[in-house]
């Protein structure tokens, strides 16, 4: 019988967790003839009762496992940790707030079993219930990133997807520190079927994303999957050289014809500011990539565990070399 691991990143989700489990239980029961399940809750350094609730669920239902981070490492780290620890033949990533409907799971599984796909992913067909400014910024982000990146990043794509072992292992091969899943899933390739559904409001609790966090996340995506911004400096350099050459010619000609009355101080200041601004912008872009490289080179772990219901299994399953580099400080 196949086993599906469901990876559920949770950050301060004490209200949503019980609702999620109740809903998921119905789906697991409806599919229990075909598959077994593992619910892998990842506590991303929550400060509320999320961790206690997870432990409780683990005690009551053996299918529930948990990983708990030593602090908040972000959803991307939680997804990575979940995939690393998933023991299923298939793995799905799902938000705990029921914005990723568990009821789609039987269909997703059927598609992977019957059709020649490696993964079934989901996207929102509408952005109902979302602030207008957020929708606008998201749309622009996808426009920009798809223009400058070779990896296709699907607009409105959610992280909710079911994939087979081949694809899980491919995603795990990408052990980079700066993680942007939407890009990683596109980058590894494989055949993906897209399902669409309308935006669903959160079951309980509040969204953990604000415009600032989303902005940083989008920069992560752009710098992670495109180096086009780095060429901006070069293009601008050529453009400015051309402009200055034209200006020199114009000034020489003007001086020869009309003499040289001293004027143009204000325009000079404008040009200085303009050129200075462009230089700073280019240095800034360079800095972004350098910072990412710096973090990658340091080779810090993507996450640290403070506790896990899977600890023993994980140590046994890992090859020795990885065991030595273990990203965990044990229990407690
Ligand atoms: N999440 C997380 N770590 C974070 C932020 C969010 O694990 O630092 C989880 C969160 O608990 C939820 C999922 O990621 O299960 C999606 O978060 P949220 O619903 O706040 O985002 P939105 O749906 O509003 O984009
Ligand atoms: Mg949500």
């Amino acid at each position: 019988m196949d086993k599906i691991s469901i990876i559920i990143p949770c950050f301060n989700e004490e209200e949503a967790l019980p609702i999620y489990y109740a809903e998921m239980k119905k789906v697991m029961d409806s599919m229990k003839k075909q598959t077994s399940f593992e619910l892998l809750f990842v506590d991303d350094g929550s400060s509320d009762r999320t961790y206690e609730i997870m432990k409780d669920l683990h005690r009551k239902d053996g299918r529930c496992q948990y990983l708990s981070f030593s602090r908040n490492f972000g959803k991307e780290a939680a997804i990575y940790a979940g995939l690393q620890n998933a023991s299923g033949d298939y793995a799905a990533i799902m938000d705990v707030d029921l914005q990723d409907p568990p009821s789609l799971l039987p269909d997703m599984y059927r598609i992977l079993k019957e059709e020649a796909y490696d993964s079934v992913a989901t996207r929102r067909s509408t952005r109902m219930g979302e602030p207008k400014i957020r929708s606008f910024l998201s749309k622009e982000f996808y426009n920009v990133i798809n223009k400058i990146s070779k990896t296709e990043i699907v607009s409105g794509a959610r992280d909710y997807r079911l994939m087979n072992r081949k694809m899980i292992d491919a995603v795990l091969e990408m052990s980079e520190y700066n993680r942007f899943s939407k890009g990683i899933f596109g980058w590894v390739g494989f055949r993906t079927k897209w399902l669409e559904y309308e935006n669903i409001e959160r079951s309980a609790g509040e969204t953990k994303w604000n415009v600032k966090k989303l902005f940083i996340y989008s920069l992560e995506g752009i710098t992670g999957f495109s180096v086009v911004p780095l060429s901006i400096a070069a293009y601008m350099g050529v453009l400015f050289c051309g402009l200055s050459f034209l200006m020199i010619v114009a000034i020489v000609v003007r001086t020869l014809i009309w003499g040289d009355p001293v004027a143009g101080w204000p325009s000079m200041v404008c040009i200085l500011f303009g050129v200075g601004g462009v230089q700073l912008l280019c240095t800034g872009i360079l800095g972004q990539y350098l910072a990412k490289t710096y973090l990658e080179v340091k080779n810090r772990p993507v996450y640290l565990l403070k506790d896990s219901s899977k600890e023993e299994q994980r140590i046994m399953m890992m090859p020795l070399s990885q065991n030595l580099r273990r990203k965990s400080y044990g229990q407690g």
Side-chain angles (χ1 to χ4, degrees):
M1 198 179 349
D2 285 334
K3 180 173 178 187
I4 302 182
S5 299
I6 315 269
I7 294 148
I8 313 134
C10 303
F11 177 47
N12 292 340
E13 300 282 8
E14 59 181 6
E15 289 164 48
L17 249 175
I19 307 175
Y20 174 82
Y21 175 69
E23 200 60 35
M24 197 55 217
K25 198 160 181 279
K26 283 186 219 157
V27 175
M28 290 195 292
D29 288 343
S30 76
M31 292 175 76
K32 73 173 169 224
K33 287 217 177 76
Q34 322 154 44
T35 53
S36 61
F37 276 93
E38 166 189 58
L39 296 188
L40 193 46
F41 294 100
V42 186
D43 165 28
D44 185 10
S46 305
S47 53
D48 63 357
R49 293 194 56 254
T50 303
Y51 171 59
E52 282 78 18
I53 298 172
M54 283 178 187
K55 277 185 104 160
D56 217 39
L57 286 174
H58 173 60
R59 224 173 294 132
K60 286 191 197 134
D61 184 342
R63 291 173 296 187
C64 296
Q65 304 284 346
Y66 62 86
L67 304 169
S68 181
F69 287 178
S70 61
R71 65 168 169 85
N72 180 245
F73 281 89
K75 185 181 176 187
E76 292 292 338
I79 293 176
Y80 185 60
L83 288 174
Q84 268 192 335
N85 287 277
S87 57
D89 309 291
Y90 296 88
I93 297 157
M94 222 189 259
D95 283 2
V96 73
D97 55 11
L98 292 181
Q99 285 187 303
D100 299 333
S103 54
L104 280 182
L105 210 58
D107 255 351
M108 292 166 111
Y109 177 65
R110 188 187 48 75
I111 291 169
L112 286 194
K113 279 306 256 192
E114 290 173 8
E115 298 172 33
Y117 287 104
D118 298 294
S119 118
V120 182
T122 59
R123 54 182 297 206
R124 292 188 287 190
S125 52
T126 61
R127 288 181 168 270
M128 254 174 0
E130 195 182 65
K132 286 252 164 6
I133 174 87
R134 196 170 147 174
S135 302
F136 172 77
L137 290 175
S138 304
K139 246 172 69 195
E140 285 311 308
F141 164 69
Y142 285 110
N143 271 344
V144 170
I145 198 165
N146 278 310
K147 279 210 183 90
I148 63 176
S149 167
K150 286 195 196 112
T151 308
E152 199 201 355
I153 292 160
V154 178
S155 169
R158 296 199 51 93
D159 290 326
Y160 184 24
R161 62 164 71 219
L162 181 69
M163 42 196 162
N164 62 15
R165 190 32 74 180
K166 257 191 293 183
M167 183 145 171
I168 302 170
D169 290 341
V171 171
L172 286 175
E173 285 284 310
M174 299 183 72
S175 56
E176 58 213 63
Y177 180 79
N178 298 288
R179 302 192 71 76
F180 182 70
S181 284
K182 288 180 176 55
I184 291 177
F185 291 136
W187 194 92
V188 294
F190 293 100
R191 286 200 69 199
T192 300
K193 177 159 184 160
W194 289 90
L195 302 180
E196 289 198 3
Y197 61 87
E198 294 206 344
N199 196 25
I200 302 167
E201 302 252 338
R202 217 169 207 288
S203 63
E206 272 171 15
T207 174
K208 309 295 176 300
W209 297 88
N210 51 32
V211 171
K212 184 178 155 212
K213 252 182 147 178
L214 282 172
F215 180 70
I216 294 172
Y217 183 64
S218 56
L219 278 187
E220 194 83 50
I222 290 173
T223 49
F225 284 88
S226 168
V227 288
V228 169
L230 282 175
S231 335
I232 288 177
Y235 292 134
M236 287 212 186
V238 172
L239 181 76
F240 275 74
C241 283
L243 275 180
S244 76
F245 179 73
L246 287 180
M247 277 185 330
I248 290 168
V249 171
I251 287 169
V252 168
V253 170
R254 199 186 63 176
T255 313
L256 287 178
I257 299 177
W258 290 293
D260 183 23
V262 179
W265 167 242
S267 54
M268 184 69 88
V269 172
C270 294
I271 292 168
L272 268 179
F273 265 96
V275 174
V278 169
Q279 280 178 345
L280 275 183
L281 173 75
C282 295
T283 321
I285 294 172
L286 212 66
Q288 285 293 319
Y289 283 90
L290 188 65
K292 294 273 147 40
T293 316
Y294 177 56
L295 290 173
E296 277 320 324
V297 166
K298 279 211 251 192
N299 205 9
R300 285 187 179 164
V302 177
Y303 62 90
L304 292 171
L305 289 179
K306 82 169 184 249
D307 187 17
S308 158
S309 61
K310 298 202 75 165
E311 195 70 350
E312 293 82 10
Q313 279 144 286
R314 214 164 82 83
I315 298 168
M316 278 165 54
M317 272 162 44
M318 255 196 265
L320 184 66
S321 59
Q322 243 176 317
N323 227 331
L324 295 173
R325 288 191 282 126
R326 210 153 59 86
K327 299 176 169 96
S328 154
Y329 290 148
Q331 302 275 324

